[in-house]
Amino acid sequence: MSDYSLEGQSPGGRRQDLKLIGKAYRRVDGPAKVTGQTVFADDYTAPRMVFMKLKRSHLPHARIVGIDVEKALAMSGVVGVLTGRDMPDTFGILPVSQDEHALCPDVVRFVGDPVVAVAALTEDEAEEAMRAIVVDYEPLPTIGSVQEALNTPEPRLHEYGDEGNVHKRITMEFGDVEAALKDADLILEDDFFYEGNTHLPMEQHATVAVPEPDGKVTLYSSTQTPHYLHKALTKVLGLKASHIRVIAAPNGGGFGGKSDPFNHEICAAKMALKLGRPVKITLTREEVFYCHRGRHPVQMHMKTGFTKDGRLVAQHLQTALDGGAYGSYGVASTYYTGALQTVTYKLPKYRFDSIRCFTNKPPCGPKRGHGTPQPRFGWEVQLDKAAHALGLDPAQLRLKNLVEPGEVTANWLKVGSIGLRKCIEAVVEGSGWNERYGKLPFGRGLGLACSSYLTGAGLPIYWNHMPHSGAQLKLDRSGGVALFCGETEIGQGSDTVIAACVAEVLGIGLDDIRLCVADTDLTPVDLGSYSSRVTIMAGNASIQAAERAKELIAEAVAQRLDVPKGRLVFADHRVFDAGDPETGMSWQEAVQCAESLHGTLGTTGSYTPPRSPGRYRGAGVGPSPAYSYSACVVEVEVDPDTGLMRVEHVWMAHDVGQCINAASVMGQIEGSIYMGLAEAVMEESAFKRLPKNRSAALVHKIPSMLDYKSPTFLDMPKMSSYVIEDPDPNGPFGAKEVGQGPLLPMPPAVANAVFDAVGVRVDQVPIHPHMILDALAAKAKGRPPRFGPGAFPAFDFGTPLKVPTPDEGGDGKATNPEEAGIRKDQGTMPETSNTGGPRR
């Protein structure tokens, strides 16, 4: 197989005017011959695909002194090399954190940071060449924890952070918390820790970049966010946005781990343009651990006041996030560790302080639940403690504090429908809670916890007035319907959901719809598969497009049948008169009738969430068109002699709004149970330092599936799932999310069940046997029966941003933005348009 140059020279030297159309090459001005699925111009030979590997740093923090690629370039099969000089512009998923280079130009910041890309004719040759590249480093101080980051303000890992190696500092208060706490009958102060962990998708990251002779490039990638990857490629490659095409291949699992634009994707596109031939890279499992973007390790201090009958008075929450080496979604993650504390239980006064620090570890980001499982763990365990301190049933304490439908919370989040009461009642009844809680033999226990989660984020990552999701329909006289939408299928069933929305409106079957999704050249923009946003946003956009098509068809059919439009029914592949079902026509005839009247049929739909009432700096994280709710009861068996624990049964109820696809909903609930159980008892991204006399490295202890423990079929308990339907007016047919919410109550429910079983608290996850044994030993010696973190890191958060609550007559704006260190232009949220789709 021969190469071709970027100028379009054929192997034989004749100039060929070639274009890449989809997957086929063709000559614009001459005949072509067809071989299989590929079209070649005369004697033109398609370029052979090459394989790329990345040379990664073996040090956690170092300055790059020199790079020697000569030996690699001389090796058999090697065709090209890239370094940081080839791509000097930075990128990142958030506009405030554009801190990554495709290849590090001068400094590496964690073990696994990429430095050189090399391409060869085979993957093995690329691997050998990568190993032959020599990089000289000058080691720099290594930061391995939040405390070390606070103690080491210099050298800074990044210059743009809030101070030293603190990436982000947040402090905000809604009402006077300290004054409210003075009236509390019970005040609990607790410290919690939630260890970081990773996504562990079955499919590793993979990318294929295909160049076009006119300087364009197409990227096929395992990504959750083709739109934002497209944006990053445009910035780094310096090409027109219209010259870059991103096609998101169906993902073999994502869970948030493929939501960032990644180094390997950008390097593949650059290498393809440089060589003029397709480039493929598939990361090893170890490299996926380095890419990470997983759950942040978070330490928390939570101070909450209660009345003697169990009503919440106020809460002061502090969180400290170990962010790793780069920004990723970290600013949003930091806000999310406090933003949703108020949408489950009515919290009249609330203060939230948080810091995210840079460390020399793989960057953390958005894992399933994005920033919310960590505070949910602490919140639900503390509620369990409060119930015992007040002599109340944990389920009853929660029921008396639930937020109300339509309520605006203390931090100005608008709640829609809430089916949490039904969720709690379902798991209480199913588990026999009232008959069994606190009454089981020693070593056996029940634990309860609840949660809430977003159904899509209320604002886009890049604030603008454009829709968050769009859909296009093309109706063809054969009766077929083509649906174009930018949403990305990552295994959550979103393809089926949007097709079902259209089929329901038009009265046709799923098999009548052909999908074209996640292609930045062909489909309208959808911002990506994250924050449980696809069903509500792409679903509403698809419904709007379908209803517009329905209107065109109804107008034509009404004229043909001489029937009022309002009486027409679309069902069972027919359009007919509701008063006389025999008067009607087939779906295909109806489409042909409409095309005769209107011409070629095509419609569009779009969706933008409703405006949030919050207008203070930071109010952009937390708003959602709707919130889902979950309740969980877990039964555990604990061996007090060994500390070994087994979860025997899980009862999970989830408020899905309206179930669109029952099989997918049940699958998502059970998948969340699995992942939540894994985080509760097994999974952790732990790091260790090598001996200083050997290396300064801070290395991942378990960067492989041989060592990173995750439950197998044998570890899974019996599961009883309950789908609670409480339709939300903002959802498509009332639907809300189910992809992430049911994970959140699992870790605290397990911790609470351990307490019911053996009478000790483990205030961190994952819960290991030695933690239970240590807590039991402490109890036996008369010390607090607890295992958990020590004091929260000392940090001066400064003056909080003060926002009066709705109950105080506030308007959603801060009263002291300048005192809190916020510029006037940062003090309020931007105006947003609302071009949302249909409300059902």
Side-chain angles (χ1 to χ4, degrees):
M1 303 285 284
S2 302
D3 292 347
Y4 70 95
S5 71
L6 286 175
E7 290 73 32
Q9 284 298 122
S10 71
R14 290 193 297 111
R15 174 83 180 184
Q16 303 282 341
D17 293 319
L18 297 171
K19 295 281 186 180
L20 181 61
I21 308 296
K23 297 182 180 179
Y25 288 91
R26 69 179 177 87
R27 192 171 69 181
V28 176
D29 60 349
K33 59 184 179 181
V34 179
T35 304
Q37 294 182 339
T38 306
V39 182
F40 298 105
D42 294 344
D43 61 344
Y44 180 73
T45 304
R48 177 178 177 178
M49 183 170 72
V50 298
F51 297 85
M52 189 177 74
K53 288 289 182 179
L54 300 179
K55 179 74 173 183
R56 297 179 181 272
S57 170
H58 66 282
L59 297 178
H61 194 201
R63 184 171 288 107
I64 299 171
V65 177
I67 301 174
D68 185 353
V69 298
E70 292 304 315
K71 184 177 178 181
L73 286 172
M75 296 178 72
S76 173
V78 175
V79 294
V81 165
L82 294 172
T83 67
R85 294 179 181 178
D86 296 296
M87 293 166 285
D89 292 325
T90 58
F91 70 96
I93 185 64
L94 301 185
V96 296
S97 301
Q98 300 283 301
D99 58 2
E100 296 187 63
H101 286 88
L103 295 168
C104 299
D106 47 17
V107 175
V108 294
R109 294 176 174 86
F110 69 96
V111 174
D113 225 355
V115 180
V116 185
V118 58
L121 297 179
T122 70
E123 192 168 18
D124 286 344
E125 288 172 329
E127 176 76 19
E128 291 179 14
M130 179 271 289
R131 294 180 181 277
I133 295 170
V134 177
V135 183
D136 292 327
Y137 297 102
E138 176 190 328
L140 296 171
T142 300
I143 297 173
S145 67
V146 168
Q147 191 62 62
E148 286 185 9
L150 296 177
N151 295 342
T152 314
E154 298 289 341
R156 300 184 72 182
L157 268 65
H158 298 283
E159 294 299 321
Y160 73 92
D162 281 353
E163 59 181 273
N165 282 303
V166 175
H167 176 201
K168 185 64 181 177
R169 175 186 65 86
I170 298 168
T171 178
M172 52 182 67
E173 186 172 24
F174 307 91
D176 192 334
V177 170
E178 286 303 316
L181 287 173
K182 291 178 181 178
D183 296 328
D185 298 310
L186 172 70
I187 297 176
L188 294 181
E189 288 196 64
D190 291 290
D191 291 285
F192 300 100
F193 179 67
Y194 202 112
E195 181 60 274
N197 49 68
T198 198
H199 313 84
L200 212 67
M202 292 179 67
E203 175 202 44
Q204 296 128 256
H205 299 250
T207 295
V208 173
V210 181
E212 301 182 30
D214 54 3
K216 297 180 181 179
V217 65
T218 296
L219 197 78
Y220 300 84
S221 194
S222 178
T223 177
Q224 296 177 230
T225 54
H227 171 68
Y228 289 122
L229 173 55
H230 183 268
K231 199 174 190 73
L233 288 166
T234 302
K235 184 174 188 284
V236 177
L237 299 180
L239 298 179
K240 291 181 180 179
S242 60
H243 288 192
I244 299 171
R245 180 184 184 188
V246 176
I247 299 173
N251 287 199
F255 314 112
K258 298 171 183 175
S259 297
D260 284 71
F262 282 99
N263 313 75
H264 65 275
E265 294 169 317
I266 298 171
C267 289
K270 182 68 175 182
M271 187 72 82
L273 290 168
K274 177 179 180 179
L275 300 178
R277 60 201 301 171
V279 174
K280 179 179 180 179
I281 179 169
T282 302
L283 301 190
T284 65
R285 180 61 62 176
E286 183 176 358
E287 287 180 297
V288 175
F289 276 92
Y290 294 146
C291 282
H292 196 42
R293 318 301 161 122
R295 186 86 70 217
H296 284 75
V298 178
Q299 186 165 347
M300 298 158 274
H301 181 78
M302 189 175 293
K303 181 180 181 180
T304 310
F306 302 82
T307 64
K308 59 186 177 182
D309 65 349
R311 300 282 180 180
L312 288 162
V313 173
Q315 184 179 92
H316 184 182
L317 171 65
Q318 295 180 310
T319 67
L321 291 76
D322 183 338
Y326 293 100
S328 182
Y329 284 83
V331 171
S333 307
T334 308
Y335 278 105
Y336 273 130
T337 59
L340 300 190
Q341 288 293 94
T342 60
V343 298
T344 313
Y345 312 110
K346 187 172 180 61
L347 195 56
K349 314 289 183 185
Y350 177 51
R351 177 169 173 175
F352 171 53
D353 304 327
S354 186
I355 52 172
R356 182 184 192 262
C357 294
F358 288 122
T359 61
N360 294 118
K361 300 176 184 176
C364 297
K367 187 188 175 187
R368 199 173 192 173
H370 191 190
T372 63
Q374 299 97 319
R376 177 57 55 182
F377 171 75
W379 197 195
E380 294 294 323
V381 170
Q382 191 176 71
L383 286 173
D384 200 67
K385 293 181 180 184
H388 283 271
L390 294 168
L392 300 173
D393 180 87
Q396 292 303 315
L397 182 143
R398 288 168 170 82
L399 286 169
K400 68 172 52 181
N401 282 291
L402 299 182
V403 297
E404 297 294 330
E407 184 175 327
V408 177
T409 68
N411 60 338
W412 294 90
L413 300 179
K414 177 68 178 296
V415 176
S417 67
I418 170 170
L420 183 53
R421 181 174 299 276
K422 294 179 181 178
C423 290
I424 295 174
E425 291 170 349
V427 297
V428 164
E429 180 180 356
S431 64
W433 174 271
N434 293 331
E435 297 76 31
R436 302 171 65 222
Y437 178 68
K439 303 170 186 175
L440 297 175
F442 185 76
R444 196 93 175 185
L446 296 174
L448 183 145
C450 302
S451 71
S452 53
Y453 195 63
L454 306 161
T455 303
L459 285 174
I461 291 174
Y462 288 79
W463 289 352
N464 58 65
H465 296 284
M466 292 180 284
H468 292 211
S469 187
Q472 288 180 311
L473 289 184
K474 180 182 75 69
L475 282 74
D476 160 311
R477 63 187 65 173
S478 67
V481 176
L483 170 56
F484 298 82
C485 183
E487 62 85 15
T488 306
E489 175 63 67
I490 60 172
Q492 83 280 41
S494 59
D495 284 359
T496 303
V497 165
I498 61 170
C501 287
V502 171
E504 179 71 16
V505 172
L506 299 181
I508 58 178
L510 290 176
D511 56 353
D512 296 310
I513 297 173
R514 185 177 297 278
L515 290 174
C516 178
V517 298
D519 185 327
T520 59
D521 260 16
L522 301 182
T523 61
V525 167
D526 177 84
L527 299 182
S529 288
Y530 62 91
S531 296
S532 285
R533 57 175 300 285
V534 176
T535 291
I536 197 165
M537 299 200 184
N540 272 330
S542 298
I543 288 173
Q544 188 179 73
E547 289 187 332
R548 288 172 173 172
K550 182 179 180 179
E551 176 66 20
L552 293 175
I553 294 170
E555 181 183 352
V557 172
Q559 287 185 19
R560 179 72 59 87
L561 299 179
D562 194 21
V563 171
K565 279 197 304 182
R567 288 215 321 245
L568 291 177
V569 175
F570 287 64
D572 298 326
H573 297 87
R574 294 184 68 238
V575 181
F576 56 88
D577 183 357
D580 179 14
E582 296 302 318
T583 301
M585 62 182 70
S586 70
W587 165 253
Q588 182 177 356
E589 291 171 330
V591 172
Q592 292 172 353
C593 181
E595 187 174 345
S596 298
L597 178 63
H598 301 292
T600 301
L601 295 176
T603 59
T604 62
S606 59
Y607 180 79
T608 299
R611 181 177 174 177
S612 167
R615 289 291 173 273
Y616 57 90
R617 182 69 173 176
V621 178
S624 179
Y627 297 92
S628 72
Y629 294 89
S630 304
C632 174
V633 169
V634 166
E635 182 170 352
V636 302
E637 184 173 9
V638 181
D639 184 340
D641 295 324
T642 63
L644 291 172
M645 171 185 59
R646 181 173 178 83
V647 176
E648 298 290 343
H649 200 142
V650 175
W651 295 264
M652 179 73 73
H654 183 73
D655 166 24
V656 72
Q658 175 67 51
C659 185
I660 291 179
N661 184 318
S664 291
V665 167
M666 295 297 286
Q668 288 293 322
I669 291 174
E670 293 180 1
S672 290
I673 291 172
Y674 164 84
M675 191 167 279
L677 175 63
E679 296 192 12
V681 300
M682 287 189 185
E683 294 193 18
E684 57 181 332
S685 294
F687 291 79
K688 65 179 179 181
R689 290 187 185 276
L690 297 181
K692 289 187 177 180
N693 62 345
R694 294 181 55 195
S695 170
L698 177 70
V699 297
H700 202 305
K701 289 173 65 175
I702 41 180
S704 78
M705 292 182 70
L706 290 174
D707 303 299
Y708 186 90
K709 300 305 180 187
S710 190
T712 67
F713 286 112
L714 296 178
D715 299 302
M716 287 303 293
K718 182 178 180 181
M719 296 179 285
S720 300
S721 301
Y722 306 87
V723 177
I724 305 300
E725 294 188 316
D726 185 10
D728 193 281
N730 282 342
F733 307 112
K736 298 194 289 189
E737 80 87 34
V738 67
Q740 304 188 63
L743 178 152
L744 275 63
M746 278 297 297
V750 171
N752 291 339
V754 168
F755 176 77
D756 187 46
V758 292
V760 300
R761 294 285 181 185
V762 179
D763 289 341
Q764 69 182 65
V765 290
I767 299 171
H768 292 307
H770 76 272
M771 299 176 182
I772 295 174
L773 290 178
D774 286 357
L776 285 169
K779 181 180 181 180
K781 295 177 181 179
R783 298 199 300 265
R786 171 189 181 269
F787 185 97
F792 188 83
F795 184 78
D796 182 7
F797 286 96
T799 302
L801 185 73
K802 295 183 180 294
V803 183
T805 69
D807 290 345
E808 295 172 333
D811 59 1
K813 296 180 181 179
T815 58
N816 67 332
E818 294 182 20
E819 183 186 3
I822 296 175
R823 302 193 313 265
K824 288 184 177 181
D825 62 330
Q826 295 178 322
T828 60
M829 292 290 292
E831 295 292 319
T832 57
S833 62
N834 182 11
T835 56
R839 301 285 185 260
R840 291 175 174 269

